[in-house]
Amino acid sequence: ATGAARGDEERGLAEAWLAAGVSRGRLLAARAGGFLLALALVLAAMFGAVLASRNGEPLGPADAAGAAVALLALLAVVYAISLVASQLAPTRRGAAGLSFAIVVALFFANGFSRGTDGPLALGRYVSPFALLDRSDPLVPGGAFAAAAAAALALVALALGLVAAALAARRDLGAALLTRREPARPAVRTPARSALLGTIVGAELRGERGALVAWGGALALLALFTGALARAAVDAILVLPGFGGYVAALGGGDPYQAFFGFMLSGIVALAVAGYAI
């Protein structure tokens, strides 16, 4: 989504298409249609493999199709969120970071809303992941929640229309959220920052704001992981056969296994995403 809304502009493609008379709404609609078609093919292949490997389990084509449609509707919402974020940020990288932060916040808001009636329960009313949770056709006795999937589709459509309207209000290459720099006297002497002495240091100096934001986000993830560790591990240990498996992963300590999975895996993925 950020590639469609920002990447095309940074590569000069959007300028050429707009000069040819194509509207911004049509550009976004074409990009979204291509994404949804590719996503539908991927989901069809994935759940087709699920059906092929069911080994006698009571799972039918209708169940797999329901799970695919529910996931398609959710990812359409995520795509639309990224389209809106792309109108606010000045670069594709900034739009990707903003989209990532929003989606992760919505994911955790839904997770924290489970089993609570306090302020955290509001997450189940604002997170699209809560609507996905209502569909569980792959679970014995579960069912596909058509109303929840339709609600996700409507949310994706509404956000897509908002993104098109915002795109029409901004200049090509510009952003709706801009920071006004105060007037300062001209500086004609070299900066004394030691980081400017090397290529790597100069790059880090220019990215110091993003580094602080990513570091803060990972610190919050560590705090959330610590807060959830005992309840999550205790819930896993009551499942037959899972206690020994989880304990083996952590060298005999299930809590160490939980932290290793949550922090080592997710943090490594986040750091790799930032580096890329």
Side-chain angles (χ1 to χ4, degrees):
T2 57
R6 278 293 173 184
D8 288 345
E9 294 184 18
E10 294 178 356
R11 293 191 297 269
L13 298 176
E15 183 177 3
W17 291 327
L18 292 175
V22 181
S23 67
R24 293 199 181 190
R26 183 180 172 187
L27 283 178
L28 292 180
R31 283 297 203 175
F35 169 78
L36 292 176
L37 177 59
L39 180 60
L41 294 175
V42 170
L43 291 175
M46 183 174 72
F47 285 100
V50 170
L51 287 175
S53 59
R54 54 185 169 176
N55 293 328
E57 292 291 334
L59 178 66
D63 300 322
V69 170
L71 193 55
L72 176 67
L74 172 72
L75 294 178
V77 172
V78 174
Y79 186 91
I81 290 174
S82 301
L83 283 183
V84 174
S86 297
Q87 313 309 318
L88 306 178
T91 63
R92 179 183 180 181
R93 180 167 54 182
L98 179 59
S99 305
F100 179 80
I102 294 173
V103 172
V104 169
L106 291 173
F107 176 79
F108 277 109
N110 177 54
F112 293 146
S113 69
R114 298 191 183 105
T116 180
D117 294 325
L120 292 178
L122 294 176
R124 69 174 68 109
Y125 302 107
V126 299
S127 176
F129 293 94
L131 292 174
L132 177 68
D133 287 346
R134 298 185 183 182
S135 293
D136 52 357
L138 300 184
V139 178
F144 167 62
L152 285 172
L154 290 176
V155 170
L157 178 61
L159 289 175
L161 294 176
V162 169
L166 294 178
R169 293 179 60 87
R170 66 178 179 85
D171 292 331
L172 199 65
L176 291 178
L177 294 181
T178 57
R179 183 177 63 180
R180 293 182 177 273
E181 294 289 344
R184 296 188 178 95
V187 178
R188 296 181 173 84
T189 56
R192 297 182 178 180
S193 174
L195 291 176
L196 295 177
T198 62
I199 296 177
V200 175
E203 182 68 18
L204 290 177
R205 185 177 185 273
E207 295 297 322
R208 58 188 181 276
L211 282 173
V212 170
W214 276 73
L218 294 180
L220 287 176
L221 175 63
L223 289 175
F224 287 141
T225 303
L228 293 175
R230 180 168 296 279
V233 173
D234 291 346
I236 293 174
L237 292 179
V238 301
L239 299 175
F242 271 80
Y245 173 72
V246 175
L249 290 178
D253 186 347
Y255 299 98
Q256 180 176 332
F258 179 79
F259 277 102
F261 171 76
M262 288 293 294
L263 291 182
S264 299
I266 297 178
V267 171
L269 178 63
V271 172
Y274 180 81
I276 293 172

